[in-house]
Amino acid sequence: MEAAVFISSLVDCCALIFLSVYFIITLSDLECDYINARSCCSKLNKWVVPEMVAQALATVLMLVSMHWFVFLLNLPVASWDAYRYVKVPMGNMGVYDPTEIHNRGQLKSHMKEAMIKLGFHLLCFFIYLYSMILALIND
Amino acid sequence: PLICKFPLTAPSFDFASDRRCTSGDSSSTTTGSASPVPNSYESLEGGSYSGTSLQSPPAGVPAKLAPPFGYNYPTMHPAYQQNPAPKPDPSPSHGGYNPPGYQPYSQVLTLLSSALGGLGGVSELEAETLRPVNLLQERNILPPKRAPPPEPNLSNDLRKVNCSPDTFRCTLTNIPQTQALLNKARLPLGLLLHPFRDLTQLPVITSNTIVRCRSCRTYINPFVSFLDQRRWKCNLCYRVNDVPDEFMYNPVTRSYGEPHKRPEVQNSTVEFIASSDYMLRPPQPALYLFLLDVSHNAVESGYLNVFCQSLLDNLEKLPGDTRTHIGFVTFDSTVHFYNLQEGLSQPQMLVVSDIDDVFIPTHDSLLVNLKESKELVKDLLNALPGMFTHTRETQSALGPALQAAYKLMSPTGGRVSVFQTQLPTLGAGLLQSREDPNLRSSTKNVQHLGPATDFYKKLALDCSGQQIGVDLFLLSSQYSDLASLACVSKYSAGSVFYYPSFHHIHNTAQRQKFQKDLQRYLTRKIGFEAVMRIRCTKGLSIHTFHGNFFVRSTDLLSLANVNPDSGFAVQMSIEESLADTSLACFQAALLYTSSKGKRRIRVHTLCLPVVSQLSEVFAGADIQAISCLLANMAIDRSISSSLSDARDALVNAVVDCLTAYRANGSNIQPSGLIAPAALRLFPLYVLALLKQKALRTGTSTRLDERVFSMCELKSQPLQQIMHMVHPDLYRIDNMTEQAALHLNDSVIPQPPLLQLTAEKLTREGAFLMDCGSVMYLWVGKCCNETFIRDVLGFPNYASLPSNMTEIPELQTTYSERTRAFISWLYDFMLTLTLMQLFFSRDDASTKTSFFQHLVEDRTESAFSYYEFLLHVQQQMSK
């Protein structure tokens, strides 16, 4: 049972890692002018909700299986995702808005956010890996 | 215990940005790219490689050279002249009051100063601007004339060729060396640009090669250094480039071997004629589409009559050539197109009622060549007001009409002028009424300052991509959600005009304003499919942009249309220390297609000294530019967070700055509020900003008017903003010839500027307030009858009519003098100013507008100037 929980959260975490890497690549493409703002933002906005769902899934899994420490580790990221999504003003075209992305250093702050998330997901990945191995050994 | 002065939650503007510099222009150069065909605007402007040109030297091609503009402009206010001749003032010390910028030194000091100029010692000018002023004690803080922009502390040669401050202005004329020094000064660093300003003299260069730096693509400018005859060093990235052969020949003096005498290197504002390397497609013709609301509401207001008459009068003067096209689309609950094919006997109307999926009925003749179909266009304009007089349609399908306009114009691009009189209620982009009238005077947060839907933003982005600029004229009397509608102009580089409570009979003031604005709008210069790039010296980088445009990439701005009445602002940060340079340069390059189908590049270059001392930073502060930049920042903040945050941040800006000045100075703390002379108007301007419609609380302000005031503050050039925020007040019933200007045989009196307080008004006088786009003339009840008779043409006060809008042309000296003065003030204004006369007894609305501009006075919800100073002092001592 434990192993199953950790295997699924490991898979979930892998998906989140791939998503973060995709975000970073797309944002750096924009920085280097390989794509334009509109296509970049529409690509990224498409994946904002799946990312939020995946993160929420990981958090809930940890909650349900009563691994409090890991749950508390995941909670801030999940709530930040939700806050960011809800706080988008009505007139904006999603979390990533092509009219604002080059203004006010938003590109840099999005990039920083994606990097931090990548680091966080890698950390979680190793936590889940070790926990899964431990759980499999103990079974 | 020491309480932290500015708690982390107190809003303040974050002048520093820790954005890492993406090195140079690596993102936008196609260094060494061999592809001759540009495929994006970045590579266009970032540039094609100006490789070896195979053409022969332009032996017979004269470069049109005009003397440097602006310096000889005869009617320019002496305060604005760029070369103030040193006044041979016998008394070296300045007792009393001298506005900064005047250099009242004696002849000896003149020589000394010019010898020392730029060497960094404390010059006379700097000592003057750093003179400490106790704001609480100084009653007369305004200079007698509007202060000229501060002169940068450069050598005379550089000063002569530097860009005019009307075009390009920096908040700090002495650039701090490091970001830490900038943070210590607590002032924002930014540029205010007016790149497409109407110029009387503009050197146009027609050479075949445009010399640009190979790495950063900067255009050659007066501040580069020539290492020898054949090599030049870029002043922005310090790379050494070769001088091409054609450049060695100077067509003006017909001499060879003096590249530094060429016009590109002698003028900081030049216009190049762009070759086909700078075009993505053949230059487009001028295309004008007019989108007219013809619902019942619109017909009631009667704007159609005014519009059609104005367009008929100005049809010949629309900028363009033989390829100019024009089209009309009207809409209410359906969209109507007009077939104006040459050869038809009268215009044919085509109605599309499927507004969920608008299509274009015919392909050819909806946008027609103006020359060929002129008669039909005139017929249509004459018939249009009458066609809809009996309409019963009350709905407005603006969204579908805009979509139709987009489809019509997307093959070529151009300008769309939208005239709307109500909230769009039908089809895509329909809006709800969001304003709660009870909250108009709330002191808490104002809601609904941002758009309600992203439809208009998306449409603006689509239009911008197809080089279509959308201008919006809103003539409504009820709430029309300008916050959402204005987005369609904001991101497509259009302009927004608003006429609250417009009615062609009942509201003559608005009707006249509309007429004058239309006249300017239809006849002013226009540029199509434009992009602008602003480059700075290595070490400086731009992080925020303000204005109506779309930011395509880190420093490339896409402007579908560019017009001479819009200004832009940018904020900069200092990424690397500027310690090894003594000069920082900025270059704005605007690549556009003129209305005659010629591709041009207008380049402005500004050079400023770099300083390492905090006192020098304060000495070079340009308070008007700082106030405008703060206004832009405040509006951004009020939309992204809240209005009260923005207001607090403005007050904190003053507090922080004066605290930094006090901390830097070594004087003992006297009681009082000490500011350097350069910044003495800072609290006054910030107080005036806080009382603007955009940012005020506690006074009943309609949401649309507030949003429009915000749009104006973000898109107008600096002079308009300063006149709007802090208008000029003069007493004109007792003007004398003392210190008058003598220009072109006319004597222009120069009454002193008065402070904006009712204290300065008196019943025995007549006062003129110049607010830029409108002028108010207030005549007191006991004003002397000579004035009323000789200038206004009426025997006494009681006989003055209540809605005079013009000063009659009478033959008395008083009248001539007054009219000379007023037309001299007009000359500085871009739009044709509307004069509103009103008299102390009547017309409540103009009277409130007049008195609202008296910013030094206390109102029921806002401080007076003195109270504001006390408030600032109190905050400083916390």
Side-chain angles (χ1 to χ4, degrees), chain B residues 241-255:
Chain B
N241 299 285
D242 294 321
V243 178
D245 287 332
E246 301 82 38
F247 204 72
M248 297 297 291
Y249 174 75
N250 185 348
V252 179
T253 62
R254 319 243 165 169
S255 63

Side-chain angles (χ1 to χ4, degrees), chain B residues 848-861:
Chain B
T848 21
S849 318
F850 181 84
F851 281 98
Q852 268 170 8
H853 281 109
L854 296 177
V855 296
E856 293 192 24
D857 287 339
R858 178 165 214 248
T859 64
E860 66 276 358
S861 53

Side-chain angles (χ1 to χ4, degrees), chain B residues 153-223:
Chain B
N153 191 11
L154 296 169
S155 69
N156 268 340
D157 303 327
L158 287 180
R159 232 185 255 183
K160 266 197 294 211
V161 289
N162 210 356
C163 195
S164 157
D166 292 333
T167 311
F168 212 154
R169 206 148 149 173
C170 186
T171 53
L172 300 172
T173 46
N174 292 331
I175 309 274
Q177 226 172 42
T178 57
Q179 183 69 36
L181 184 59
L182 177 63
N183 290 344
K184 259 203 266 179
R186 313 291 304 201
L187 287 170
L189 178 63
L191 297 167
L192 284 96
L193 314 159
H194 192 183
F196 205 56
R197 185 169 75 99
D198 286 325
L199 291 169
T200 44
Q201 287 164 340
L202 177 64
V204 179
I205 315 287
T206 48
S207 69
N208 292 327
T209 49
I210 299 179
V211 182
R212 302 174 72 173
C213 173
R214 257 190 306 169
S215 61
C216 65
R217 310 304 291 150
T218 309
Y219 296 85
I220 196 164
N221 58 75
F223 309 105

Side-chain angles (χ1 to χ4, degrees), chain A residues 33 38 92 97 102-104, chain B residues 27 457 462 543 545 636:
Chain A
D33 281 338
R38 270 194 105 171
N92 270 17
D97 186 295
H102 280 298
N103 217 349
R104 279 176 274 286
Chain B
S27 58
K457 228 191 224 195
D462 288 335
H543 60 83
F545 299 88
D636 271 357

Side-chain angles (χ1 to χ4, degrees), chain B residues 688-867:
Chain B
L689 269 179
L690 288 171
K691 293 190 176 177
Q692 285 296 292
K693 279 205 182 120
L695 296 167
R696 71 184 183 196
T697 52
T699 318
S700 171
T701 314
R702 303 171 88 181
L703 192 54
D704 275 347
E705 290 186 20
R706 185 188 289 274
V707 170
F708 178 62
S709 177
M710 289 185 170
C711 291
E712 287 214 292
L713 281 175
K714 283 210 83 167
S715 63
Q716 299 276 33
L718 184 136
Q719 273 124 342
Q720 295 286 82
I721 295 181
M722 284 321 294
H723 272 98
M724 198 166 82
V725 167
H726 192 267
D728 296 334
L729 183 65
Y730 306 95
R731 180 165 181 176
I732 59 169
D733 65 309
N734 58 359
M735 293 195 289
T736 62
E737 307 240 326
Q738 187 192 15
L741 279 183
H742 293 261
L743 293 170
N744 301 336
D745 303 332
S746 61
V747 177
I748 301 177
Q750 302 281 294
L753 276 179
L754 299 174
Q755 282 171 277
L756 291 172
T757 163
E759 212 183 303
K760 300 284 175 184
L761 298 178
T762 153
R763 282 217 190 138
E764 280 109 26
F767 296 86
L768 181 74
M769 183 186 276
D770 178 8
C771 301
S773 57
V774 68
M775 275 194 201
Y776 297 101
L777 175 60
W778 185 84
V779 182
K781 212 179 222 181
C782 311
C783 180
N784 60 343
E785 306 230 326
T786 345
F787 177 79
I788 300 182
R789 198 185 54 234
D790 286 348
V791 177
L792 300 176
F794 288 92
N796 55 21
Y797 181 80
S799 60
L800 286 167
S802 55
N803 56 355
M804 260 182 90
T805 51
E806 270 184 352
I807 301 219
E809 264 181 55
L810 301 172
Q811 295 303 321
T812 62
T813 38
Y814 252 50
S815 172
E816 273 171 23
R817 217 188 273 172
T818 313
R819 277 181 294 114
F821 178 61
I822 293 180
S823 52
W824 179 77
L825 288 178
Y826 270 6
D827 282 341
F828 291 107
M829 285 311 122
L830 301 164
T831 55
L832 308 172
T833 303
L834 174 74
M835 163 87 81
Q836 281 185 309
L837 281 81
F838 73 100
F839 317 104
S840 73
R841 61 173 169 187
D842 42 34
D843 205 67
S845 71
T846 43
K847 189 171 170 178
T848 21
S849 318
F850 181 84
F851 281 98
Q852 268 170 8
H853 281 109
L854 296 177
V855 296
E856 293 192 24
D857 287 339
R858 178 165 214 248
T859 64
E860 66 276 358
S861 53
F863 287 143
S864 74
Y865 177 54
Y866 194 74
E867 288 170 355

Side-chain angles (χ1 to χ4, degrees), chain B residues 643-656:
Chain B
L643 193 61
S644 43
D645 268 357
R647 289 173 61 92
D648 289 340
L650 275 176
V651 177
N652 284 338
V654 184
V655 175
D656 289 351

Side-chain angles (χ1 to χ4, degrees), chain B residues 418-438:
Chain B
V418 180
F419 293 80
Q420 175 73 0
T421 56
Q422 60 174 78
L423 202 63
T425 48
L426 211 53
L430 74 89
L431 298 170
Q432 316 283 357
S433 177
R434 292 190 290 171
E435 186 193 20
D436 180 359
N438 300 327

Side-chain angles (χ1 to χ4, degrees), chain B residues 271-289:
Chain B
E271 185 150 286
F272 293 99
I273 304 221
S275 60
S276 54
D277 295 335
Y278 290 91
M279 304 179 203
L280 279 181
R281 58 179 189 180
Q284 65 164 91
L287 249 74
Y288 302 111
L289 181 68

